[in-house]
Structure formats: structure tokens, C-alpha cells
Amino acid sequence: MVAETVEPTTAAPYIAGDEAVLRVENLTKHFVKKRLGRPTTAVKAVSDVSFDLAPGETLGLVGESGCGKTTLSRLILRLIEPTSGRVIVEGKDVTRLSKRQLREFRQRVQVVFQDPYASLDPRQRVAASVAEPLTNSKLSSDEKLRIVHETLERMGLQRAQARLFPHQFSGGQRQRIGIARALSVTPKVLLLDEPVSALDVSIQAQVLKLLQELRDEYRLSYILISHDLSVVRHVSDRVMVMYLGRVVEMAPKEELYTAPRHPYTASLLSAAPVPDPDVERTRERIQLLGDPPNPASPPPGCAFHRRCFQAELVAQKLGDSEVTVLEDGRRVPRTCAEKQPVLVTQDATKHWSACHFPLSREAVATVTA
């Protein structure tokens, strides 16, 4: 495969500028493990993550389990405190808000959870669940009920169903109720945490169509967390790929899916099924070696170099002085084994990647066919 030379840049991967409804700046979260009351090791769950979100934009967030996606969403919601970095929503630094201000902020950023049944209190009627985010508002009971009825109707449900309990609905209807609850306070940003993974395929399509309609109607911005790359491609405008707490690639949707630059992204795409059976039978597969490293003791250099097919191919063209030999005998470039890659862009396509030897378009043509 052909390696391309990249000159590092210190610019952040922002595209929305002053219009950004949400901006994350160098966000970092380390969980410190203690033994006998004393700190021992730090789990680097999120490391130096930066991005922004434009009004009406959907940003897809993908990566293996344990890569930091959920921790990042909890940091954005300020359910946990960051080790360093900032989250800015509509110009306000969320990390510095008081408890009272935080309640107001959470009306601007809402979340839709993966399991629609677990996210609803089975003892509460639907009307009470949907009105729950309005608890701290100064609205009267009649006004709250009006909002509940109007929001449920927009979700394709009937007003009379507000008197029912969650168990009296199907899975797709419960997810619509969860979306209604998030929308009751007219937020600007929705965090969608695997919003359709627990639903049948036909119901998935209905909920995704509804989410797209709501985004266009209310000019909402979404952060979509999903393992389903086909869902991410269908809904997202941009895609951000995380590995071991770091952003390794970020690009417009079609650019990333047709010409990934990071070997990890190419590996994820090669594992995703393709609808065309002829292509599915003949296309190249990338086999990842082993499991992700322990975030409490990540390897030096690039965290992906021990699983990277590109590193081995590049090492074949290098001299012995430029190569590091791993414990299992595989050879990788010394740069990969010793130096953490920087998130950089090569051109004006807004395509960012963190790889010392990014892939060329020709190299991944068979993988992403």
C-alpha cells in the first residue's frame, strides 16, 4: 500500500466557526484507580478530543466498545467532570456553570438512550415521563400538558396515549416517547446513544426517518453514537472515529467511507457487511490482530501500531535502523512505536487523520467497495 507524507499542523478540526452550537476543546478524562486509598494508575478514557457541531448537523461517532464514546457523551452532558478541556454550548463554557446554570444548560442538550424501556420509569404514565424535563420550568400544569400532547402528536402518537404506561407500547413507540421527552424542552443538541439498535430493522427505518424530519424542522444538531456503520452513513453529515480515547479520523461522510486514511477506519469499514452479494464475496477483508490495548497501560507511540496492517507493510520498505521488532516478531516503523501521531489534515477537504503513514485512495479501493 502507498504511504502519503503528512506535515503536522496544530490547527483544531473545527468547521462551524462562530456559528457552532457546540464546541469541544481538548477534552480529557482520566479515571484514577486507587489501592489502599492511594492513586496507582490512570485510565485514559478520553484524551485531547476537539471538535465542533454546526446548527442542523449530524456528527456520527464510531469505534469499538471501550474506545471512549460513552465517556465523551457524559462529559458533554457534564454528568462527570473532565480532567481538563472545555465544552462550550452556544458560547457558554459548560465546565464552569453553577448547579442552577447547569439545569438551564441541560434544557439545551438532551439525550436519547439505547434502551427505550430502561430509560422510562415503568411506574410513571407517559405524560409524566415526557413532562419530566419541564420540572424546573415556570410553566403551569396546563401548559406542560399542552406541550406533552403536542410533542407526542409530532412523534406520531395520540394524545390519549399520554395516560398509558410504558409497558403498554411497542419498542418503536417507546423510543418515540423517549425522543418526545428529549424534545419537550426544545433543545439545540441531541445526543443519540445507539437510538435504534434495540429495534427491528423496519422500525429502525421509521425512527431514523423521524429523527431526520425533526432535525430539519427544528434545526437540531445530533451526535449519533452507533456501532452500525450503515446507520451512521445514512444519517450523518460528518463522521468521527475514536480509538482508545483519541480521535483518529474525522471527515465528511462520503469522504471517510470511500477514502479512509487511518488503517483503523479501513478495518472497521471492511468488517461491515455490503448489500451487494457479489461484492461481499470478493472484496478484501482486513483482519485486526488481538484486542484493543488496556487504557490503563497503553503502548508507547501510536496506540494502534500493534494491530495495524499498514505499519507492517511500511516496515517492509524500511531499513533495520528505522524498524522496531515487536514481541511476536512482527516489524513496525520505529516512528509508529515511539511517537504519538497528531491529528492533521492534508488538504482542503476537511478530512483529518492521526496516522504517521495514512492510506492512499488506491490502497483502500477494494476494502470500501
Side-chain angles (χ1 to χ4, degrees):
M1 294 192 178
V2 181
E4 299 176 354
T5 303
V6 178
E7 292 298 326
T9 176
T10 57
Y14 299 140
I15 65 166
D18 294 337
E19 295 183 358
V21 66
L22 179 145
R23 173 171 289 184
V24 171
E25 296 182 353
N26 308 110
L27 201 58
T28 297
K29 179 62 181 179
H30 294 170
F31 294 99
V32 179
K33 289 186 174 181
K34 293 184 178 181
R35 180 175 296 174
L36 300 178
R38 296 181 180 180
T40 54
T41 58
V43 177
K44 299 178 180 179
V46 174
S47 299
D48 198 29
V49 171
S50 297
F51 65 92
D52 65 358
L53 195 62
E57 181 187 19
T58 299
L59 176 68
L61 179 54
V62 300
E64 290 173 289
S65 297
C67 72
K69 304 187 299 296
T70 299
T71 301
L72 178 60
S73 67
R74 294 173 68 195
L75 288 169
I76 293 172
L77 291 166
R78 204 180 150 186
L79 297 176
I80 56 176
E81 298 296 326
T83 303
S84 61
R86 300 196 302 167
V87 177
I88 300 172
V89 177
E90 295 185 308
K92 294 183 179 180
D93 186 349
V94 176
T95 56
R96 296 185 178 183
L97 296 182
S98 65
K99 289 184 178 180
R100 180 184 63 81
Q101 293 171 323
L102 196 57
R103 286 196 294 268
E104 297 176 359
F105 150 75
R106 286 182 177 146
Q107 293 185 352
R108 315 306 287 164
V109 181
Q110 287 284 305
V111 60
V112 176
F113 296 99
Q114 176 179 2
D115 187 343
Y117 190 74
S119 64
L120 299 172
D121 189 338
R123 299 166 298 179
Q124 277 189 333
R125 297 183 189 274
V126 164
S129 292
V130 175
E132 192 170 10
L134 299 167
T135 301
N136 295 312
S137 70
K138 297 180 181 180
L139 299 174
S140 67
S141 298
D142 289 342
E143 289 174 315
K144 291 179 182 178
L145 186 59
R146 177 184 58 80
I147 292 174
V148 168
H149 286 162
E150 290 178 353
T151 309
L152 287 175
E153 286 183 337
R154 183 62 190 86
M155 297 302 111
L157 300 172
Q158 299 176 3
R159 292 191 176 200
Q161 292 177 300
R163 299 193 297 268
L164 302 180
F165 290 92
H167 73 271
Q168 295 176 279
F169 294 87
S170 67
Q173 288 175 320
R174 285 196 290 263
Q175 192 60 292
R176 289 170 183 264
I177 294 168
I179 297 170
R181 182 173 62 179
L183 290 180
S184 65
V185 289
T186 60
K188 290 293 185 180
V189 178
L190 278 187
L191 289 170
L192 307 172
D193 189 356
E194 299 276 5
V196 296
S197 63
L199 305 177
D200 294 335
V201 174
S202 60
I203 306 302
Q204 285 185 11
Q206 295 175 20
V207 173
L208 290 174
K209 184 175 183 294
L210 174 63
L211 287 170
Q212 289 178 299
E213 291 174 353
L214 294 171
R215 181 188 66 178
D216 297 338
E217 181 177 344
Y218 298 106
R219 198 161 168 72
L220 295 169
S221 299
Y222 295 155
I223 297 178
L224 172 64
I225 301 173
S226 180
H227 288 92
D228 191 329
L229 294 176
S230 62
V231 168
V232 172
R233 186 172 191 173
H234 179 68
V235 175
S236 301
D237 300 304
R238 275 190 302 159
V239 180
M240 185 167 76
V241 183
M242 290 186 69
Y243 183 79
L244 210 66
R246 291 183 177 272
V247 177
V248 297
E249 189 159 7
M250 186 189 308
K253 170 183 61 179
E254 291 305 323
E255 175 72 15
L256 183 135
Y257 274 78
T258 57
R261 292 178 180 167
H262 199 282
Y264 177 62
T265 306
S267 302
L268 292 179
L269 293 176
S270 77
V274 173
D276 189 330
D278 294 329
V279 174
E280 180 68 19
R281 284 193 297 267
T282 59
R283 71 189 181 116
E284 180 184 351
R285 294 280 186 171
I286 298 173
Q287 184 68 39
L288 281 179
L289 299 175
D291 298 319
N294 185 349
S297 56
C302 174
F304 188 62
H305 77 268
R306 295 176 180 270
R307 308 175 74 195
C308 182
F309 67 91
Q310 173 76 338
E312 291 188 73
L313 294 173
V314 171
Q316 296 175 6
K317 304 175 183 179
L318 301 178
D320 290 343
S321 62
E322 301 174 287
V323 168
T324 294
V325 181
L326 303 179
E327 295 85 348
D328 58 5
R330 291 185 299 115
R331 294 157 56 90
V332 298
R334 189 175 297 276
T335 302
C336 298
E338 297 179 356
K339 185 179 178 182
Q340 178 69 47
V342 179
L343 192 66
V344 299
T345 185
Q346 295 170 284
D347 45 45
T349 62
K350 300 175 183 176
H351 192 152
W352 298 77
S353 63
C355 182
H356 295 301
F357 302 97
L359 304 175
S360 66
R361 286 180 178 270
E362 297 78 10
V364 296
T366 56
V367 176
T368 59

